[in-house]
């Protein structure tokens, strides 16, 4: 009831403004600038204009945020886009509470990433093109979240997909390029097909009751006209699209490939743009998903499964960016888990906090890679703590945040998700349990990454060691700002702020065990990582006395390693190998490439038809004529 | 003494202007030096521009002429604009293309103009004889144009294949006309429509409809009558391929849609099933076969088959929305396709056509603007918003959805998903592979650059601001009555 | 008077013979002649229908079909001549430069 | 046209049409086509299309076929021992042709049950006067288009066939 009330209120208050258009327009101008003038005006101009454009749209976003009416929205209708008969689609942008949060994150984090890039790409020869992509990425994402209708959302949707494809293909060497690009592209197109089919089905279903519209507010007004079983199909189709963009099982495979791009781009993809599109879309269409508990439970299950499996894969990766990539997949799983149990607020909350600390993690990783002369393998790092202090401390804060250490942003959002997973009418103890184990693994692998990278002895070659240096200010300042955001992000009153859309937030009532266990498990994971990667070699005795539960297991290095190997590593390596190699390589690659092969085989078969002989063509005519006449005969 | 009927000159004007321009071109050509012959193209462009302006001014006038065998309506005028667009862009591209070939300019330009006369007649014809004669006028001119590069074996072969199959298909079309005449007692579309609405469909009429579908199916390249398309498109001079892919197809659809959506609209149920199957077959065959092509020109030929499939979806959807979507999509398709062929011409050089995918490698680094234009065309053909191809596809599929053909829209969406694969391959080649092919500087070929620019700007502009042209296409289709 | 369906069937048979000629012969001139046969079969339909309906339209159409046939013959034979000059053959199955 | 006349014309038409597409010699094919066209002219006479019958002889059998024969002679085409197509295509086209004939015959004969009697002929049906009156009134546009068509044919033939 409350929800419905809030909805009505949101619709009643739409303020018409005309400045929202500048939010995506500025980055778009940046794209044009970079394409046409970038090379001529040189690196300095590019370095100023590209982040500057994003900063301008950040300012406009702030303005929109301050002027957002209580419980209402801002609408900027630019022109009538598509118009025919009864169908009208406006080229219109809107800012409501959800969009306001999204644009602030996209432009804010995006701006920091742009600034960081000026330092990171200082030695690249084609910086204009790089910033053109980065600006285009930002502009598309802004269009996606600002769009007032599904079609405009789709414009941004395709835009970010296209950008990711350009970047993936652009940075690969020729050999890998073909298959990686192909994979990313096909996966994204599968998702897009799902999205479009869902869109048309929704369009048609509403049309049955004579409402031909794609505008979110109008759809919401007439949502009652959609029967529940049709809603399920629409929601599932749209979820296929969301899973493609937001890298959920089984469509997550493209995301690790996107690691091939420069690290700041990864940060942009993982934190602020692209992967959050699916979450945003489902949150935006919450009124539609509310019609179908079946679809929601699919979303929740897929989310929980992805959160868990991606975490297991993260445990064994040694490439610093791959660890972060799988961690993104896993965290997105949490967000879908939240959406699936109807806790939209919690999901969006986690989206925001994740944006801060994941951007920070990637930029920190970039700083490490930068300092380590483009080395990405963590087994060849170590001991960077003293050599790159700013990077270390900010990275440390990010790890604390993602591990869910109390007081930091990640703690609040993840905790809320898990509580909702347990307590919500759509939730279940199973979802909570899977999520909690995943949280433990997250803490473990993040700190494993931290310890192996920054602690102990440096294992790199002397030449690389010699060059290790802290990054320039253009890179460390964004790191520091993001670190602050990662700490305080949890204290923003987002839950209340979003209430006009998702209803007033109520703290779920759960038993203390349920409430605190995830945090304990998370801390346990950190402790385990600490023990295994820092303490273990030197102070095994102390451990044995201090940690009674583990003392036997950790008594002796060999013994620990054996246990680690037998209990944790082997099953998990086995599982993740199975998941990663078998599932990923055979099932996903197999079906994707198989589909491509089938297509090509069919294409070759059809080519036989085209054998060049004009008389075979005439025969084809004859067969066609016969068939049509046969149709009438019949 | 026979009393001549009153002549409605106004209705004939869009046909007379290109015809006279063509004759002027032929005459002027006689006393001209070879290096001056580009002036003929400018004369042709002038003629077509005047035709376009006249057609545009005549939009909104809907009056029958010559006892109802010819008409002056917005529908025809809208198509005239498409023909003029196709013709003007073809001329602009030809100025350079003729330098790289051995084609004699005079007859070449004149024949394009005469073909446009045929198209204009087809779009305005409201009786079956005029449709047939318009179609033959256009076709015979295009048969010659396909083979006009006499020294090139592919061009020879393309002309022969196109001619034989075209004449073969004309036989079917004519048979259909005969049976329609036999079944209804008239060759005028208006009277046939009245007869059909009153009496429904007799067996003879249905055989006639079947034969008409074969004949028109050939011209619009609908499967299984599409088989000639790749060979002819590949073999014909590239400018002519572009002209065929856009102009000829638009003209064929003009007559096809007028006859089926208007005249035979009363027996919609009798033919929509067939066109449904043809649409699905056409989209699928076109897209899947395009996947395995290595020649960009040939890939575009298959892609044009696939696009004929989308256009057939609009035909099946029918009614006001489907018809308007058909007309809008023809404009969209025309712009992006002409542009794509323009880029192919730009990449080619004398003696080396450079039409393979590999020949596009590295274009993005050396000719960023040319590659950017090609990217725009490919993305638009894929249906990436907010380019015109997306808006057109959305228009067609929503028309299909609205008319209740949900599955047709689903198949169409899936098909356009597949199509992305081969369009993006061009972009991949341009930006992600190293190549050593160095085309002539585009800045040295201003007319071609202008043609590509017009197409690119149109592709973007009509995608972002489509509503005016959509309204125009809708009003023009409604003029069909 | 023979019923109109007799004429139509005869025309259908002649038309089909023409179609089969297009498919069976590899000499493009003969293929072209088979196409002329198809057109003539259609002309027969037109004339018979004109007689049946008592309207002159059908006969007029035949007149135009003849004009079209003449134009097609001129262009078609020119194309065949051109192909023969360049390739020394006019057999349909030897003209397969472009395929697949 | 009574039934007897019909069959007396139909049988040779079909037979000579078959010769056109079956005889290995291009010249014989062309000559048979001339015969078919002449029979067709007769057929036109019996269907009250007098003027058209003459046109058929003059334009078709006369000019167009002479053009064909001329080209056949020019190319010096001999009988080709392999004149017929590869077996698969041959079989397919025979089956296809048979099916098409069967379908057309079946559909046309089905329609004959609801057939109306032939209309009364107006005065002067099929004469040159009636033909030309129609040509310059109702068919004025097609007449004009034909002029462009023939111009194209002339230009095209010259472009393609000149050395």
């Amino acid at each position: 009831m409350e929800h419905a009330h809030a909805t009505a209120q949101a619709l009643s208050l739409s303020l018409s403004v005309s400045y929202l258009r500048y939010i995506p327009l500025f980055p778009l101008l940046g794209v044009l600038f970079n394409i046409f003038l970038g090379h001529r005006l040189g690196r300095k101009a590019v370095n100023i204009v590209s982040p500057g454009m994003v900063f301008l749209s950040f300012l406009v976003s702030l303005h929109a945020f301050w002027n957002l009416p209580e419980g209402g929205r801002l609408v900027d209708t630019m022109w009538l886009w598509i118009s025919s008969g009864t169908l009208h689609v406006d080229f219109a942008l809107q800012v409501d509470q959800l969009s306001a949060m999204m644009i602030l994150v996209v432009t804010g984090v995006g701006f920091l990433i742009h600034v960081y890039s000026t330092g990171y790409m200082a030695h690249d020869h084609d910086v204009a093109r790089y910033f053109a992509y980065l600006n285009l990425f930002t502009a598309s994402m802004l269009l996606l979240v600002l769009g007032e209708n599904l079609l405009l959302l789709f414009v941004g949707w395709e835009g970010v997909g296209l950008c990711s494809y350009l970047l993936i293909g652009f940075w690969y060497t020729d050999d890998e390029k073909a298959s990686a690009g192909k994979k990313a592209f096909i996966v994204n197109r599968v998702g897009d097909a799902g999205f479009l089919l869902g869109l048309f089905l929704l369009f048609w279903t509403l049309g049955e009751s004579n409402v031909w519209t794609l505008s979110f507010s109008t759809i919401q007004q007439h949502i009652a006209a959609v029967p529940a079983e049709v809603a399920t199909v629409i929601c599932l189709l749209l979820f296929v699209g969301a899973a493609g963009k937001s890298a959920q099982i089984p469509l997550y495979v493209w995301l690790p490939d996107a690691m091939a791009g420069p690290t700041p781009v990864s940060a942009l993809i993982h934190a602020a743009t692209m992967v959050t599109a699916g979450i945003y879309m489902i949150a935006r269409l919450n009124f539609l998903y509310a019609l179908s508990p079946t679809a929601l439970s699919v979303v929740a299950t897929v989310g929980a499964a992805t959160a868990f499996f991606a975490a297991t894969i993260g445990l064994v990766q040694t490439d610093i960016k791959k660890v972060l990539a799988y961690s993104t997949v896993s965290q997105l799983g949490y967000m879908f888990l939240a959406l699936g149990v109807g806790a939209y607020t919690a999901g969006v909350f986690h989206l925001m906090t994740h944006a801060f600390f994941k951007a920070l993690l990637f930029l920190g990783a970039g700083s490490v890679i930068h300092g380590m002369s483009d080395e990405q393998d963590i087994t060849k790092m170590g001991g960077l703590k003293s050599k790159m202090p700013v990077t270390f401390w900010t990275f440390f804060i990010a790890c604390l945040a993602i591990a869910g250490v109390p007081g930091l942003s990640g703690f609040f959002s993840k905790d809320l998700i898990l509580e909702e997973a347990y307590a919500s009418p759509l939730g279940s103890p199973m979802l909570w349990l899977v999520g909690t184990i995943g949280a433990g693994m997250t803490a473990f692998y993040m700190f494993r990454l931290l310890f192996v990278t920054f602690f102990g002895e440096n294992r790199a070659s002397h030449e690389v060691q010699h060059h290790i240096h802290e990054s320039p200010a253009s890179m460390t300042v964004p790191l520091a700002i993001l670190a602050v955001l990662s700490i305080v992000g949890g204290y923003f009153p987002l839950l209340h702020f979003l209430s006009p859309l998702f209803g007033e937030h109520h703290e779920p009532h759960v038993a203390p065990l349920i409430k605190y266990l995830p945090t304990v498990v998370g801390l346990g994971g950190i402790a385990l990582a600490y023990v295994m990667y820092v303490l273990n070699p030197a102070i095994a005795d102390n451990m044995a006395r201090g940690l009674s539960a583990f003392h036997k297991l950790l008594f002796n290095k060999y013994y620990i390693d054996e246990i680690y190997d037998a209990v944790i590593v082997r099953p998990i390596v086995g599982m993740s190998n199975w998941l990663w190699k078998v599932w990923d390589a055979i099932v996903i690659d197999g079906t994707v490439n198989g589909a491509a092969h089938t297509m090509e085989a069919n294409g070759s078969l059809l080519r036989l038809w085209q054998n060049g002989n004009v008389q075979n063509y005439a025969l084809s005519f004859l067969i066609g004529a016969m068939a049509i006449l046969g149709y009438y005969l019949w | 003494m026979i009393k001549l009927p009153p002549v409605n000159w106004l209705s004939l004007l869009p046909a007379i202007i290109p015809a006279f321009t063509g004759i002027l071109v032929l005459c002027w050509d006689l006393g001209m030096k070879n290096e001056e012959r580009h002036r003929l193209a400018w004369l042709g462009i002038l003629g077509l521009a005047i035709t376009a302006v006249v057609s545009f001014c005549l939009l909104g006038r809907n009056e029958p002429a010559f006892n109802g065998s010819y008409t002056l309506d917005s529908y025809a005028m809208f198509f005239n604009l498409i023909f003029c667009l196709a013709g003007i862009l073809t001329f602009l591209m030809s100025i350079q293309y003729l330098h790289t070939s051995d084609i004699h300019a005079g007859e070449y330009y004149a024949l394009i103009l005469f073909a446009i006369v045929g198209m204009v007649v087809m779009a305005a014809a409201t009786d079956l004889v005029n449709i047939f004669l318009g179609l033959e006028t256009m076709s015979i001119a295009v048969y010659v144009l396909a083979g006009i590069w006499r020294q090139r074996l592919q061009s020879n072969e393309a002309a022969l294949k196109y001619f034989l199959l075209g004449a073969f298909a004309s036989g079917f079309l004519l048979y259909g006309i005969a049976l329609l005449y036999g079944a209804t007692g008239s060759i005028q579309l208006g009277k046939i429509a009245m007869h059909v609405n009153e009496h429904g469909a007799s067996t003879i009429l249905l055989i006639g409809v079947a034969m008409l579908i074969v004949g028109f199916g050939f011209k619009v390249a609908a499967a299984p009558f599409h088989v000639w398309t790749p060979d002819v498109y590949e073999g014909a001079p590239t400018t002519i391929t572009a002209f065929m892919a856009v102009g000829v197809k638009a003209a064929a659809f003009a007559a096809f849609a007028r006859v089926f959506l208007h005249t035979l609209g009363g027996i919609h149920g009798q033919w929509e099933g067939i066109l449904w199957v043809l649409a699905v077959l056409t989209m699928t065959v076109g897209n899947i076969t395009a996947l395995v092509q290595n020649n960009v020109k040939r890939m575009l030929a298959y892609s044009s088959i696939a696009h004929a499939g989308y256009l057939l979806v609009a035909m099946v959807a029918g009614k006001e929305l489907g018809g308007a979507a058909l007309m809008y999509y023809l404009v969209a398709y025309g712009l992006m396709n002409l542009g794509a062929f323009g880029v192919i011409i730009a990449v080619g050089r004398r003696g080396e056509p450079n039409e393979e995918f590999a020949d596009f490698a590295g274009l993005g680094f050396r000719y960023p603007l040319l590659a950017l234009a090609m990217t725009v065309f490919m993305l638009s053909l894929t249906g990436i918003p907010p380019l015109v191809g997306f808006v057109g596809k959305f228009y067609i599929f929503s028309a299909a959805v609205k008319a209740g053909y949900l599955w047709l829209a689903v198949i169409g969406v899936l098909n356009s998903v597949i199509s992305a694969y081969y369009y993006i391959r061009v972009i991949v080649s341009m930006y992600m592979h190293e190549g050593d092919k160095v085309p002539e500087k585009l800045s040295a070929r201003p007319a071609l650059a202008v043609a590509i620019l017009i197409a690119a700007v149109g592709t973007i502009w009509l995608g972002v601001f489509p509503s005016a042209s959509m309204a125009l296409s809708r009003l023009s289709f409604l003029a069909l009555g | 008077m023979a019923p109109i369906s007799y004429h139509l069937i005869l025309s259908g048979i002649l038309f089909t013979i023409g179609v089969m000629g297009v498919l069976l012969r590899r000499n493009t001139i003969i293929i072209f002649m088979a196409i002329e046969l198809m057109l003539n079969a259609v002309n027969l339909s037109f004339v018979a229908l004109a007689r049946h309906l008592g309207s002159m339209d059908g006969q007029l159409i035949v007149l135009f079909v003849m004009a079209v046939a003449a134009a097609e013959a001129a262009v078609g034979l020119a194309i065949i001549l051109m192909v023969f000059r360049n390739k020394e053959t006019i057999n349909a199955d030897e003209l397969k430069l472009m395929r697949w | 046209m009574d039934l007897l006349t019909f069959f007396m014309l139909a049988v040779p038409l079909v037979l000579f049409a078959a010769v056109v597409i079956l005889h290995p010699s291009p010249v014989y094919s062309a000559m048979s086509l001339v015969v078919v066209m002449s029979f067709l002219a007769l057929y036109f006479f019996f269907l009250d299309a007098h003027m058209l019958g003459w046109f058929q002889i003059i334009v078709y059998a006369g000019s167009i076929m002479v053009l064909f024969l001329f080209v056949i002679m020019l190319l010096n085409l001999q009988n080709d021992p392999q004149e017929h197509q590869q077996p698969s295509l041959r079989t397919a086209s025979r089956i296809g042709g048979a099916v098409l004939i069967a379908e057309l015959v079946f559909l046309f004969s089905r329609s004959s049950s609801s057939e109306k009697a032939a209309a009364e002929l107006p005065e002067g049906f099929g004469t040159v006067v009636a033909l030309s009156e129609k040509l310059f009134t109702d068919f004025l546009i097609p007449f004009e288009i034909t002029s462009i068509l023939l111009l194209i044919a002339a230009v095209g033939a010259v472009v393609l066939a000149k050395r």
Side-chain angles (χ1 to χ4, degrees), chain A residues 180-246:
Chain A
K182 211 190 259 183
K183 194 201 277 180
F185 192 71
I186 291 175
V187 167
N188 262 299
R189 290 306 286 183
V190 170
D192 293 347
F195 184 96
L196 268 180
L197 292 181
L199 185 151
F200 276 115
L201 190 57
L202 178 63
F203 182 62
W204 185 66
T205 314
L206 285 172
E208 293 274 89
S209 51
N210 233 350
V211 184
W212 299 102
T213 183
L214 288 167
S215 150
F216 290 122
S217 52
T218 327
I219 293 174
Q220 189 168 2
Q221 272 172 341
H222 297 92
I223 197 67
V226 182
E229 57 274 24
V230 183
T232 303
V233 180
I234 297 172
C235 290
L236 289 178
L237 284 170
L238 290 174
F239 179 58
V240 172
K245 276 282 173 295
S246 292

Side-chain angles (χ1 to χ4, degrees), chain B residues 221-289:
Chain B
F225 315 112
H226 70 286
V227 264
W228 57 277
T229 321
D231 293 7
V232 174
Y233 280 17
E234 188 188 340
T238 311
T239 43
I240 297 307
T241 309
F243 184 64
M244 277 197 274
V246 177
V248 173
K249 190 166 284 190
F253 265 111
F256 198 7
R258 194 191 278 275
V259 171
F260 277 75
L261 294 183
H262 175 238
T263 311
L264 299 174
I267 51 165
H268 192 256
Q270 304 279 358
W271 50 261
E272 64 173 11
I274 294 172
L275 288 195
W276 195 98
V277 174
L278 286 192
V280 170
L281 206 60
T282 310
M283 287 188 283
T284 314
V285 168
N287 276 320
I288 290 183
T289 324

Side-chain angles (χ1 to χ4, degrees), chain A residues 12 58 73 84 89 93 111 116-117 183 194 202 244 310 337 351 364 418 427 456 461 490 510 512 560 571 593 621 632:
Chain A
S12 62
F58 176 67
R73 58 181 192 143
S84 185
V89 181
L93 306 178
F111 169 64
Y116 177 96
S117 296
K183 194 201 277 180
L202 178 63
L337 171 60
L351 188 161
L418 290 173
S461 67
V510 289
I560 296 162
N593 295 339
F621 280 43
Y632 285 132

Side-chain angles (χ1 to χ4, degrees), chain B residues 325-356:
Chain B
L326 174 82
M327 293 165 80
Y328 180 79
Y329 199 75
L330 278 168
V331 178
Y333 166 80
L335 282 169
M336 54 204 185
N337 233 25
L338 285 165
F341 280 114
V343 175
I344 292 182
I345 292 169
V347 175
R349 298 166 82 190
R350 193 178 184 93
E352 36 179 327
N354 287 347
E355 287 160 3
E356 301 286 314

Side-chain angles (χ1 to χ4, degrees), chain A residues 390-598:
Chain A
V390 181
T391 306
F392 166 70
W393 285 108
T394 52
F395 203 85
F396 180 60
I397 290 167
C399 284
L400 288 176
I402 193 173
V405 171
L408 280 83
S409 61
F411 165 75
F412 296 101
S413 52
K414 189 182 277 183
D415 227 33
L416 189 61
I417 289 176
L418 290 173
E419 282 169 27
E420 292 274 12
Y422 188 85
S424 150
L426 293 161
S428 73
M430 191 61 206
L431 292 175
W432 173 82
L433 185 65
V434 172
T436 304
I437 298 172
M441 288 194 284
T442 307
F444 177 79
Y445 68 69
M446 285 316 300
F447 275 87
R448 167 178 168 267
L449 183 66
L450 182 82
F451 294 142
V452 173
T453 309
F454 290 99
F455 287 71
E457 292 294 309
N458 194 296
R459 298 171 291 273
S461 67
H462 282 287
E463 194 171 347
V464 173
Q465 282 195 25
H466 186 69
H467 284 109
I468 295 174
H469 59 282
E470 182 58 284
S471 302
S474 60
M475 290 163 72
T476 51
V477 170
L479 288 180
I481 296 173
L482 282 170
V484 172
L485 285 171
S486 300
I487 295 170
V488 304
Y491 299 99
F492 293 152
L494 192 70
L495 301 180
H496 173 70
F497 180 65
L498 290 173
S499 61
L501 283 172
F502 305 128
E504 197 58 58
H505 176 72
H506 300 283
E507 199 60 35
H509 296 290
V510 289
L513 177 74
I514 304 297
K515 188 165 174 57
Y516 298 119
L517 195 62
T519 311
V520 174
V521 171
L523 293 173
I526 299 175
L528 189 61
Y530 187 68
V531 168
M532 283 170 37
Y533 295 99
V534 183
L535 293 183
N536 174 35
I539 46 172
D541 287 352
N542 291 350
M543 261 180 53
R545 268 179 271 122
L547 294 163
S548 59
F550 288 112
H551 86 279
K552 279 198 170 162
L553 303 176
L554 309 176
F555 179 69
N556 152 318
K557 186 184 172 189
Y558 270 48
Y559 188 51
I560 296 162
D561 280 350
E562 272 167 20
I563 293 294
Y564 179 52
D565 195 56
V567 178
I568 305 167
V569 177
R570 209 177 285 162
I572 290 176
V573 166
M575 184 156 47
S576 62
N577 271 346
W578 185 80
L579 284 172
W580 184 43
K581 289 204 179 118
V582 178
W583 174 256
D584 192 298
I586 295 177
V587 181
I588 304 295
D589 283 11
T591 42
V592 168
N593 295 339
H597 285 151
T598 320

Side-chain angles (χ1 to χ4, degrees), chain B residues 19 32 41 57 98 144 162 181 194 199 231 235 250 277 296 341 412 425 436 440 447 455:
Chain B
M32 200 174 239
C57 295
L98 293 193
V144 178
Y162 192 32
Y181 166 64
M194 278 200 304
H199 303 281
D231 293 7
V277 174
V296 178
F341 280 114
R425 246 183 93 193
D436 50 359
E440 259 174 88

Side-chain angles (χ1 to χ4, degrees), chain B residues 179-417:
Chain B
L179 294 174
L180 233 58
Y181 166 64
T184 62
S186 176
I187 51 168
Q188 289 196 359
L189 295 184
K191 289 182 185 160
I192 295 174
M194 278 200 304
H195 188 277
V196 166
N197 290 338
E198 267 175 46
H199 303 281
S202 63
T203 310
I204 293 188
L205 184 76
L206 289 181
I207 308 174
V209 169
M211 295 298 182
L212 284 182
I213 291 177
V214 177
F216 282 126
F218 169 84
K219 283 289 166 209
V220 303
F225 315 112
H226 70 286
V227 264
W228 57 277
T229 321
D231 293 7
V232 174
Y233 280 17
E234 188 188 340
T238 311
T239 43
I240 297 307
T241 309
F243 184 64
M244 277 197 274
V246 177
V248 173
K249 190 166 284 190
F253 265 111
F256 198 7
R258 194 191 278 275
V259 171
F260 277 75
L261 294 183
H262 175 238
T263 311
L264 299 174
I267 51 165
H268 192 256
Q270 304 279 358
W271 50 261
E272 64 173 11
I274 294 172
L275 288 195
W276 195 98
V277 174
L278 286 192
V280 170
L281 206 60
T282 310
M283 287 188 283
T284 314
V285 168
N287 276 320
I288 290 183
T289 324
L291 290 178
V292 286
Q293 300 304 321
N294 288 320
N295 183 311
V296 178
K297 202 169 156 190
R298 199 169 171 85
M299 179 278 279
L300 281 178
Y302 281 108
S303 120
S304 89
I305 295 170
H307 284 271
Y310 304 135
L311 289 159
L312 284 174
V313 172
M315 287 270 297
V316 176
K319 303 205 188 77
E320 175 194 332
L321 208 57
L326 174 82
M327 293 165 80
Y328 180 79
Y329 199 75
L330 278 168
V331 178
Y333 166 80
L335 282 169
M336 54 204 185
N337 233 25
L338 285 165
F341 280 114
V343 175
I344 292 182
I345 292 169
V347 175
R349 298 166 82 190
R350 193 178 184 93
E352 36 179 327
N354 287 347
E355 287 160 3
E356 301 286 314
F357 273 95
D359 298 330
F360 281 74
L363 201 68
F365 306 112
R366 279 168 291 120
Y367 296 92
L369 290 181
L370 190 63
L372 187 69
M374 190 64 164
T375 308
V376 167
F377 300 134
M378 290 295 122
L379 292 179
S380 181
L381 285 164
T382 316
I384 301 279
L387 301 170
V388 72
F390 167 75
V391 178
K393 268 194 191 127
F394 177 77
Y395 202 8
I396 286 185
F397 293 148
S398 53
V401 163
K402 248 181 135 171
Y405 298 96
L406 192 61
W407 282 109
L408 198 56
V410 167
I411 296 169
V413 167
L414 292 178
N415 257 297
S416 70
V417 167

